Amino acid sequence: MTVEQNVLQQHSQKHQQTLLNQLREVTGTTDIQLLQQALQVSNGDLAEAVAFLTEKNAKVPQQDEATYYQTSQVANDRYISVGSQADTNVIDLTGDDKDDLQRAIALSLEESNRAFRETGITDEEQAISRVLEASIAENKASLKRTHTEVWSDSPNPHDRKRMDNCPVGLKNVGNTCWFSAVIQSLFNLLEFQRLVLHYSPPARVQDLPRNQKEHRNLPFMQELRNLFSLMVGSKRKYVDPSRAVEILKDAFKSSESQQQDVSEFTHKLLDWLEDAFQMKAEEDREGEKPKNPMVELFYGRFLAVGVLEGKKFENTEMFGQYPLQVNGFKDLHECLEAAMIEGEIESLHSAENSARSGQEHWFTELPPVLTFELSRFEFNQALGRPEKIHNKLEFPSMLYMDRYMDRNRDITRIKREEIRRLKEHLTLLQQRLERYLSYGSGPKRFPLADVLQYAMEFASSKPVCTSPVEDIDTSAPPGGTTGPPLPPPSTAEQGSLVPPDGSATAAGPATAPTAAQQQRVPIHKPFTQSRLPPDLPMHPAPRHITEEELRVLEGCLHRWRSEVENDTRDLQGSISRIHRTIEMMYSDKSMMQVPYRLHAVLVHEGQANAGHYWAYIYDPHQRRWMKYNDISVTKSSWEELVRDSFGGYRNASAYCLMYINDKKPFLIEEEFDKETGQMLSGLDKLPPDLKQYVKEDNELFDKEIEEWDALQARKAQQEKLALATAAASTLAASSASTSSSSPQPMSIESSPPDNTVPQQDPEYMEQPSPTNDSKHLQEDMERAISKAAAEQEERSPEALLNAAMMTPNMQGIIMAIGKSSSVYEKSGPEAAFFKAIKVEYTRLLRFAQEDTPPEKDYRLQHIIVYFIQNQAPKKILERTLLTQFADRNLAFDERCKSIMNVARAKLDLIKPDEVNMDEYEMWHQDYRNFRETTIFMMIGLELFQKRNYVEALMYLIYSYQYNRELLAKGLYRGHDEELLGYYRRECLLKLNEQAAAMFESGEEPEVTTGLGIMNELVVPCIPLLLVHDAEKDLLAVEDMRNRWCSYLGQEMESNLQEKLTDFLPKLLDCSTEIKSFHDPPKLPTYSTLELCERFNRIMATLSRAPTECR
C-alpha cells in the first residue's frame, strides 16, 4: 500500500468516526454496531442514517435525554432570534408522529452545522474537550513533571549566548510559562521596567521586616529587580527566574504539577507590587497623601449607575484587570457593551419608578495600562467541571474607549438606542432573507430562486410518453452486449404488449417474437448492467406538456424568478447598509479621542487544566510584533497573532489583552541621559547595585565560555596528536607491506593522506601541504611510493580504472591525466599538469550545472561539485583541486608521478596569506556535515521502507535538523527539506498508529510498549513539529492528538483510563520547548562508492512513490 493510500485510508477512518460520533449525539443511540449498520445502509448519508435509526427505535425511550439537552443548552440567549421564523421551529414531540421527530432531528443537525459555521468548532470537538478536561481534572495529582523532563540546557555556552540586542528569554523551570508570559509583557512596558529597577526598599524595613506581608513582598521585589536587570544587560540568551518563581509558588501554596492561571497570577503580582510601592510611598510622602505608582499605572475608576428594587443609585468603584465574558460574543466591543450593562435598565431612562433592577458602568478614569481579562472558562453543570471556551473573539489593534466614558453618557445612550433599533430591523430583514434562501416546509430547504429554476428546467426538458421503467425493460441491451439496440416498438405495439389487466395477449404480431429477440432475452443484472440505455432521458421530464402550457409556465417561472432575485438583492443590500451604519456609528472624531493601542496579548493553548502560555508583544521602535515563548524570542506578525489569539484554531486563544494609552508615550519611551542627551541602553539603564550584579553574572558566563573553549581546544589538540600517531603508524605499516609484497596498484582506500581518519575518503578531506609534514615522514613516503611504482608493471591510466575500485575523484583525475598524455610527451609534466587540471575542472563544472534527478547527486561523488554549486571562493576551489592532484596514491607510473610532483610543488608555492586556512577548513567541514546528513537521511529512509519506524525516527529527526542547518547557509548546501519533512512526519504518524493499536489491544505488555513509544519517541518530537508552524506538521500533530482524545468517550478498564489520563497532558502540552532528547545514532563508515550506490538505490525507490511522497 502506498503512502497516499495510507493517508486516504486514515482520512476515511477519521471521517467515519466523526459520523459515528454525530449519530450517537443526535439520536442518543450508544450501540456501535447499530450506528455502523445505519451508516452502511445509508451509504454514509447522515440524514438517511438518522431516519433509519428513528424508525428502528421509534418505540425505544431515549436515555439521558434531559442530561444531553442540559449540556448542549446555550448559556447566553440574548442573541437568539425571535419572530415568526423561530415559531415555526417549535415542534411537538409528545405524540407519535415520526415525521415531527425526524424534522426535529434534522433541525438539530442544521443548528449544529450553523454553530460550526459561526465558531469553526464542531459539537463533537466541544464534547471531546469537555470529557478531556474532566478526565484531566480528576487525575491531575498524577501529572507531576520533573525539572529534567522539561529542560535540558545545551552544554555548549555559545548556544546560550545572546545575539546582539535580541530580547532575553525566560527559562521555564517547571509549569511556569504563565510567569514568563506575564513578566515579559510587563517588562516591555518601559515605565514599569524603570519603576521596578529603581525601586529601593524603605529604610525602616531593611534590617527586619515588620509583618508577614513585608517578609514576603520585599524579597520578591528584590528578586524581580535582579531578574529585570538580567533581562536588560545579560549576555545570556535566556535567564533563570527560579528564585522569584519559588516565592510566588510558596504564596500560592500549590503543588508543582498545578498550572497557574495567568489572570490569577497577574492579580497576585499586582497586589504584591502595590503593597511594596505603598510602603515606599508612605515613607516618602512628607505629609502629603501618598501616591502609589502601581495604582496610578494599572488602576482606574468607573461609575455604577442603576436601579435596585425601584431605587436609583450611583457608586464609584476602582478596578484593575477588567473581566469580560467571551461566550456569545464575536468581538471585543460586544463583550464591553455587555459588561457595561447588567440587568434591565429601562427604568434608568424613564421617570417612572418601576420595580426593575439593573445597572450601567461608565468609566470616569481609565488607567494608562488597560488590561482586559477574557473569561474563557465556563462551568459545565452536568459534568461538574470547568471547560474552556474555544469560540473565536476578534479584537482591534487600536481600541477607542470614548463610548464607554461617563462624559459621553448621553450621546452613547442615543447611539445605543439607534443601534438597538437598527438591529431589530436587521433581524426582521434577515428572517425575510432566510425565507428566500431556505425555502420549503420539510427538513431539506433550498434557495427559492433555485427551486424556480429547477422547475423551469424540468418543464423545458424533452417530454417522454413512456415510463422510464418500460424503457429499460424493452429497449435496454443486456449487460455486456455490444451490438446495436433493438428498435423501439411503435406506440400501437406498446399498447398491445401489456394489456390493462396485466395479462399477456394471446394473438397479434407483437406477441410473436422474432428470432433475434428469442436469442437476446434481457437478463436483469443489477451490479453489472450499470450503463443507461441510449434512449433513456438523462434528466426527469414531464410525460405530456403542450406548447401553450410550456409557454405560460415558462413565462410565469421567469417572472417569479426575476422577482425573487430582485427581492433577495434588495434584502441583501439593505442588510449590508445596516451593518455599515452600525459599524460607522462611533467613527466620528468626537468618539475617537481616547485611543488605546494593543501592547501585549497573552495566549493560552490547551484545555482548562492543561496547556501552555506565551505572549505577543508589540515593539514600537522596530514597529513589529515579537513572540515571547519562554526561552524563544522571535519576530512575528499581526497575521500570526490573529491566528493564535482570536480562537477557533488549534485550541489556542487570548486570555489577557493589555492596551496602553496611545496619548501617553512615556509608557514606552526609552530613557535618556540628562547630561549628554543620549539614549541609555544595556547596563547604563541600571542603578549601581544592579549594574554590579549583572556584571558579576556576565563574568561568570564569560568564564564558562572560556573554560568551554579551552576544553574544546584541548580535545582538538588531543585529536590532532592521535591522528598524527595514527598516520605515522599507517605509514610505517604501508612501507613494510609494500617492500615485502608483490607489486599491487596503490588504492585510495588503502593509503589515506596525512592528517585524515583512515576510514574516511580523502576527496573531501584537507590534504596538508608538504611543509606541514615532518621531513623524515616525507622522505619515507617518497621512497615507499618510488619503490612500489618501480616494482609494478607499467600500466596506462585507462587500464588502472579497471584494475582497482577507486573513488569517483581518483577516477576523474586519472582520466584527465590520460587525456593529457600527448601534451606530456611534447611539452613535459608542467604543461600536462595544466592540461589535466583544466580537463578535470571542466568535467566537474559540467556536473555542477546539470539538472539531475535526486538519485544522481554529483555532490556526493565530488567535493568540487559541492563547492561550485555553493559558490565557494576561487582560492578554496584551487587548493582543493591541487590537493587531489597531489595525492600520493597517483604514483602509478612516471607520468602520474611527475604530474603529482608538479601539483605538490604548486601547493608549496601557496603563501599563508593567499589562502585563509580557517575558511578552507570551514568549507571542508561543511562538506563533511553534508555527507553525514546524507548518511542519516539514507539510513532513515531505508529503515522507513522496511517499516522499522522505531529505529528510523531518530535518523529522520537528526537528518531533518542537520539539513535545516545546512540549508540556512545556502540552497544547495543540503537536501530537499520537504521530502525529509514528509518522512519525518509520516514516521511519527506511523509510530502513533502503532502505539494506538497496542493501547487498543488492552493487553498490559502491549499497552506499556505503546505508551513507551509515545513517551520516549513521539512526544519529545512534537515540539520539533510545532516550532516552525508548518501547516502540514501542525495538522499531523492534531491528527495524533485527536486519535488519543477519541478514546476518552469510550468505555475501558480503570487501569487503562488511568494510564490514558496520565499520558494525555504530555501529548497535549503545546509548548515548543525542546525537551531532553536522544543522542544521535552512531554512523557507520562508508566509502564514496558504497554511499553513492546506496543513496542512488533508495532515492530511485522514492521516485517511483506517489507525488506527495517525493
Side-chain angles (χ1 to χ4, degrees), residues 23 26-27 45-55 102 105-106 109:
L23 270 182
V26 170
T27 64
D45 189 307
L46 193 59
E48 291 183 13
V50 170
F52 173 84
L53 289 173
T54 53
E55 290 174 1
Q102 293 183 17
I105 293 173
L109 286 173

Side-chain angles (χ1 to χ4, degrees), residues 433 436 562-573:
L433 180 62
Y436 281 97
S562 298
E563 292 171 356
V564 168
E565 289 177 342
N566 290 335
D567 291 346
T568 303
R569 280 195 296 269
D570 291 344
L571 286 170
Q572 290 173 336

Side-chain angles (χ1 to χ4, degrees), residues 326-388:
V326 170
N327 200 16
F329 307 107
K330 68 177 183 179
D331 59 40
L332 186 61
H333 277 299
E334 284 192 1
C335 295
L336 276 166
E337 290 282 355
M340 303 300 281
I341 303 175
E342 298 179 9
E344 301 181 38
I345 59 169
E346 286 84 354
S347 58
L348 292 175
H349 316 306
S350 62
E352 299 178 2
N353 188 10
S354 66
R356 293 179 177 178
S357 299
Q359 64 175 324
E360 292 178 332
H361 289 178
W362 298 97
F363 292 119
T364 57
E365 182 182 349
L366 288 173
V369 181
L370 179 59
T371 305
F372 294 114
E373 177 186 309
L374 304 183
S375 299
R376 284 193 171 271
F377 282 149
E378 67 178 1
F379 194 81
N380 189 299
Q381 297 292 342
L383 295 175
R385 295 285 184 267
E387 63 178 16
K388 184 180 176 183

